[in-house]
Amino acid sequence: MKIVYMDNNATTRVAPEVTEAMEPFFRELWGNPSSMHYFGGQVARHVEDARAKVAELIGADPSEIIFTSCGTESNNTAIAGAAEIYGRQARIVTSRVEHQAVLGPCRKLGQTGFDVVELGVDSAGQPDLGELRKALQHAPCFVTTMWANNETGVIFPIEEIAGIVKSAGGVLHVDAVQAAGKLPVRVDEVPVDMLSLSGHKIHAPKGIGVLYVRRGTKFRPFMLGGHQEHGRRAGTENVPYIVGLGRACEMAREHLREGPGKLAALRDRLEKGLIAACPSGVLVNGDKGRRLPNTTNMSFRYIEGEAILYHLSDLGIAASSGSACTSGSLEVSHVLRAMGVPAEFAQGSIRFSLSRYTTGEDVDYVIAMMPAIVRRLRALSPFSPPEEQQI
Amino acid sequence: MWDYTDRVMDHFRNPRNVGVVKDPDGVGEVGSLACGDALKLTFKLDKDARISDVKFQTFGCASAIASSSALTEMVKGMTLEEAEKVTNRDIAKFLGGLPEQKMHCSVMGREALEAAIRNYRTGEKSKQILEGKVICNCFGVTEEEIERVVRENSLTTVEQVTNYCKAGGGCGGCVPSIQEVIDRVEVERKSAGAAAAARPMTFLQKIHLIEDTMAREIRPMLQRDGGDIDLVNVEGNKVIVAFRGMCAGCNVAQFTLKEVVEAKLREFVSGDIVVEDVKS
């Protein structure tokens, strides 16, 4: 069966070059980089090599890079650390459309008595900067928000947000898990204090992440019990994955030269093709002008997302949905709800997220297959226009 | 992905009886776009008052579509009195089981069927009818509905109730009220069990009670799926049975043996009954 993988915001294929770079560290170079013998010591050099490559991708100094186990750990470290440093007199500011890895720890702090403010977004998914300015009238203030949204691909105006936060004297953590590798994410150009990255969204394996901490930023470690990462993250370094991530960052830099433009063209072809080929009642969610080049979130009216996904899956097409049935709860995606997308559209939302491995042929295959699925499910739906129902 | 059975996937991929019956005798509509699933069921009766034609339209996930399709297959040919006895468990069982979090799809099927029968009998448009006190405002679920899923499916936790009828799955404000319903049914269940256990019976009375329970509670359920069951022997608390028809060799027979036959006999005869298949 043909396989068309369009769920790259969930996870990406490990690049063959990355696997190749990792292999020696499973076979021969399996020493502990902290050891006082050549066998471990020779490995430490490769960890530092990878650190430099990660730093280069985001314009950081290698000493500002902390390796973690995943993006979720990076976010938790930043948020829990801020709570510890600034205490209950601090205000935590985030947005209603964050990933659960940010909303979860923030809401937990809210339950334990912290003042947590969740900024709203407009119908395009863009944050209310007026609300941000108002929230920042309190000090100390810790802001944690995303660079780009995982569900809609909407890019936040991070330069502007950073300017507002810094001029108000606040501390800014940015979850750049979806943005990194898809658009330039540069800490030498944008004054963020902390930034989270995840390996498996940029063609490295699952189980490796990064927290960037700008030199001079107050920091408290989350994982205790060892001197690794200069005491900022205890635990023996995951050497093969760190090496793999280094290689993936190198490839991401390469991709950023021409890749985003090509991806945006493919994504637009998919979007236009689907709108033209499917019966009416199809719309695109999120700010079309400021979106990740690889992502489209489309709503197919009168039908439900999970049913669409299963039919797509039968045809070898992998995508995801913000419908209630697939959200793991009984309510539709919190992102689409925050944007005010009506339930009838949100229930039928499908996210296609492409990667550098996506081809024009893949896109055409989805355009060719989707209309029949929409027609088939609309024929079943009591809400469809009568001419599309099977009576 | 959900762990759907092959039967669920078959009914999802090839739904039976899609559409709207022409000049229907009964129409039942439940659910809404906002809730994420909705079902419209229509049926027509023949001259013997049996369901001669039944069709559905469903907006919802794979298991909602499969549950609707299964329901239409199950009730075709039944009288309304027979159809009324179909429970959400029967629908789930027909499909070889549903993931716990998807049981509400089978409940939606049962509710649409009830609504359609009520529409036939009283002419009521059932869509907006909520009997009794609404407990879950997010999904509009009444105390009566919650009590019913708790009773029919022997539920013991709020999470299960959410899986079966969605109540409690939104803001969570009604969780204490759901717990109260569960506790109340639990108390009743325990006292009924104690009464059953306390009832002195001769061996002959016990066999009669087993036969009665099988005839009343178990056989109709199996016969609907083209199967049947016979009592072979009773040895103390061990009840030996034999599956017949479709049940013999059915791959969920062991499930049926424990979850249906044994559960019913424990409920109505004695709490310590163990049921075995004649082959084992």
Side-chain angles (χ1 to χ4, degrees):
Chain A
M1 185 172 65
K2 189 172 172 61
I3 302 288
V4 172
Y5 186 78
M6 288 207 186
D7 200 12
N8 287 281
N9 287 10
T11 197
T12 57
R13 146 183 199 184
V14 179
E17 294 88 339
V18 169
T19 317
E20 202 185 319
M22 288 167 65
E23 240 171 48
F25 298 85
F26 290 112
R27 296 181 192 280
E28 301 97 30
L29 297 167
W30 44 264
N32 186 331
S34 302
S35 299
M36 289 298 133
H37 46 66
Y38 79 95
F39 194 70
Q42 64 180 350
V43 170
R45 183 169 59 81
H46 296 278
V47 170
E48 293 319 308
D49 240 25
R51 199 185 304 281
K53 285 172 185 161
V54 175
E56 210 168 339
L57 176 68
I58 61 169
D61 187 88
S63 66
E64 296 171 316
I65 300 296
I66 304 171
F67 289 115
T68 65
S69 67
C70 58
T72 299
E73 187 196 320
S74 301
N75 289 335
N76 272 272
T77 303
I79 295 163
E84 203 183 322
I85 293 163
Y86 303 107
R88 265 172 236 274
Q89 64 270 33
R91 173 177 285 170
I92 315 265
V93 181
T94 185
S95 86
R96 285 173 59 197
V97 297
E98 297 302 314
H99 189 274
Q100 295 301 342
V102 164
L103 276 183
C106 285
R107 286 182 180 166
K108 179 81 191 275
L109 289 176
Q111 286 162 11
T112 58
F114 276 84
D115 173 15
V116 178
V117 175
E118 291 181 16
L119 305 176
V121 297
D122 63 16
S123 60
Q126 291 291 357
D128 187 332
L129 298 185
E131 252 185 85
L132 173 64
R133 286 193 189 90
K134 226 167 82 196
L136 281 161
Q137 285 165 7
H138 180 101
C141 201
F142 174 79
V143 180
T144 171
T145 192
M146 62 201 337
W147 197 304
N149 188 274
N150 48 311
E151 290 188 28
T152 58
V154 169
I155 300 167
F156 275 11
I158 284 294
E159 300 83 351
E160 204 180 340
I161 289 172
I164 294 170
V165 175
K166 294 325 290 178
S167 67
V171 177
L172 176 63
H173 162 253
V174 174
D175 172 5
V177 163
Q178 290 295 342
K182 294 173 189 152
L183 47 94
V185 168
R186 305 284 305 186
V187 297
D188 50 353
E189 286 165 17
V190 186
V192 306
D193 298 299
M194 288 189 261
L195 185 114
S196 301
L197 303 176
S198 168
H200 75 110
K201 310 289 193 197
I202 57 167
H203 304 284
K206 295 149 198 70
I208 184 74
V210 164
L211 181 63
Y212 156 83
V213 181
R214 187 178 293 279
R215 192 174 295 155
T217 304
K218 285 186 189 165
F219 179 79
R220 290 280 186 289
F222 187 61
M223 300 280 273
L224 306 174
H227 56 84
Q228 293 89 351
E229 302 294 283
H230 296 284
R232 293 175 301 179
R233 201 274 186 184
T236 301
E237 298 85 345
N238 186 354
V239 177
Y241 283 51
I242 288 172
V243 170
L245 178 62
R247 183 76 183 98
C249 285
E250 217 172 33
M251 294 178 73
R253 274 184 69 211
E254 185 70 26
H255 167 78
L256 283 177
R257 274 193 227 146
E258 286 174 5
K262 284 185 192 160
L263 264 181
L266 274 182
R267 187 266 320 271
D268 292 346
R269 174 162 146 197
L270 174 68
E271 215 166 73
K272 287 199 189 95
L274 286 176
I275 290 170
C278 292
S280 63
V282 181
L283 60 78
V284 175
N285 297 308
D287 189 342
K288 284 177 87 171
R290 282 184 63 90
R291 266 191 307 168
L292 291 176
N294 76 319
T295 309
T296 178
N297 186 311
M298 304 177 77
S299 281
F300 298 84
R301 205 175 177 181
Y302 314 119
I303 57 181
E304 192 278 331
E306 186 206 286
I308 301 174
L309 290 186
Y310 272 89
H311 278 310
L312 284 172
S313 179
D314 277 349
L315 295 164
I317 301 167
S320 67
S321 167
S323 84
C325 278
T326 50
S327 70
S329 74
L330 289 170
E331 290 186 322
V332 295
S333 134
H334 68 286
V335 176
L336 299 180
R337 254 187 297 152
M339 290 161 62
V341 175
E344 58 183 298
F345 282 106
Q347 296 284 11
S349 68
I350 298 290
R351 177 187 71 187
F352 295 102
S353 46
L354 286 54
S355 81
R356 70 176 87 123
Y357 297 106
T358 307
T359 63
E361 199 185 311
D362 292 342
V363 166
D364 294 340
Y365 180 67
V366 176
I367 295 170
M369 293 298 134
M370 192 70 183
I373 296 175
V374 174
R375 261 186 241 112
R376 206 185 153 108
L377 289 171
R378 286 220 183 138
L380 284 177
S381 171
F383 302 118
S384 306
E387 66 275 15
E388 291 186 44
Q389 286 183 19
Q390 181 180 327
I391 306 285
Chain B
M1 288 183 98
W2 298 104
D3 188 14
Y4 288 138
T5 63
D6 291 346
R7 267 202 115 171
V8 170
M9 288 310 288
D10 176 38
H11 277 266
F12 163 62
R13 291 185 180 122
N14 312 296
R16 282 65 147 177
N17 312 309
V18 175
V20 181
V21 173
K22 213 175 157 214
D23 305 320
D25 289 316
V27 181
E29 288 180 77
V30 292
S32 74
L33 273 168
C35 285
D37 43 27
L39 167 54
K40 179 177 178 179
L41 192 78
T42 51
F43 68 78
K44 190 132 190 88
L45 298 176
D46 63 14
K47 59 180 180 357
D48 302 321
R50 287 186 179 274
I51 296 173
S52 58
D53 198 6
V54 52
K55 287 190 173 176
F56 80 92
Q57 288 183 318
T58 290
F59 161 81
C61 58
S63 54
I65 292 169
S67 295
S68 312
S69 168
L71 173 68
T72 58
E73 288 284 277
M74 289 166 77
V75 300
K76 207 176 254 188
M78 282 185 180
T79 62
L80 294 187
E81 290 67 33
E82 287 165 345
E84 257 176 334
K85 295 201 185 85
V86 172
T87 66
N88 73 288
R89 279 185 83 85
D90 297 334
I91 298 172
K93 204 165 74 63
F94 182 89
L95 290 167
L98 281 172
E100 180 86 358
Q101 297 94 320
K102 293 287 189 173
M103 286 300 287
H104 61 82
C105 296
S106 65
V107 173
M108 179 171 76
R110 194 256 295 148
E111 285 175 349
L113 176 63
E114 266 171 18
I117 294 173
R118 190 163 54 220
N119 170 256
Y120 166 72
R121 286 184 181 149
T122 67
E124 273 175 34
K125 281 263 206 165
S126 47
K127 204 167 183 182
Q128 303 305 332
I129 291 176
L130 293 173
E131 283 170 18
K133 190 173 83 181
V134 174
I135 285 196
C136 170
N137 285 312
C138 296
F139 291 103
V141 190
T142 62
E143 183 164 8
E144 193 189 354
E145 288 172 81
I146 293 171
E147 193 170 323
R148 184 159 176 185
V149 292
V150 170
R151 242 181 244 292
E152 287 185 350
N153 299 283
S154 308
L155 308 184
T156 55
T157 66
V158 174
E159 197 189 337
Q160 286 177 317
V161 171
T162 306
N163 289 335
Y164 278 70
C165 67
K166 298 193 178 184
C171 71
C174 60
V175 165
S177 311
I178 297 173
Q179 189 63 52
E180 275 174 33
V181 176
I182 294 171
D183 293 345
R184 193 172 65 229
V185 174
E186 177 74 14
V187 168
E188 281 172 32
R189 197 183 294 141
K190 275 195 181 133
S191 55
R199 197 186 313 149
M201 270 186 288
T202 65
F203 192 59
L204 200 59
Q205 282 173 328
K206 187 172 179 176
I207 292 175
H208 280 313
L209 190 55
I210 291 171
E211 282 183 323
D212 280 355
T213 305
M214 285 176 64
R216 199 180 61 240
E217 300 285 333
I218 301 168
R219 302 181 82 161
M221 208 187 279
L222 302 185
Q223 284 165 353
R224 271 202 293 275
D225 291 348
D228 207 346
I229 193 167
D230 284 334
L231 179 64
V232 176
N233 202 359
V234 181
E235 302 164 0
N237 287 325
K238 193 153 78 175
V239 177
I240 298 164
V241 297
F243 280 123
R244 307 287 185 216
M246 292 290 278
C247 291
C250 167
N251 54 11
V252 291
Q254 272 307 311
F255 174 83
T256 309
L257 191 71
K258 290 290 163 194
E259 298 300 318
V260 179
V261 182
E262 191 171 279
K264 288 286 179 197
L265 292 179
R266 283 184 175 185
E267 186 180 345
F268 290 97
V269 183
S270 168
D272 53 4
I273 278 183
V274 178
V275 178
E276 282 181 12
D277 191 353
V278 71
K279 280 176 294 187
S280 59

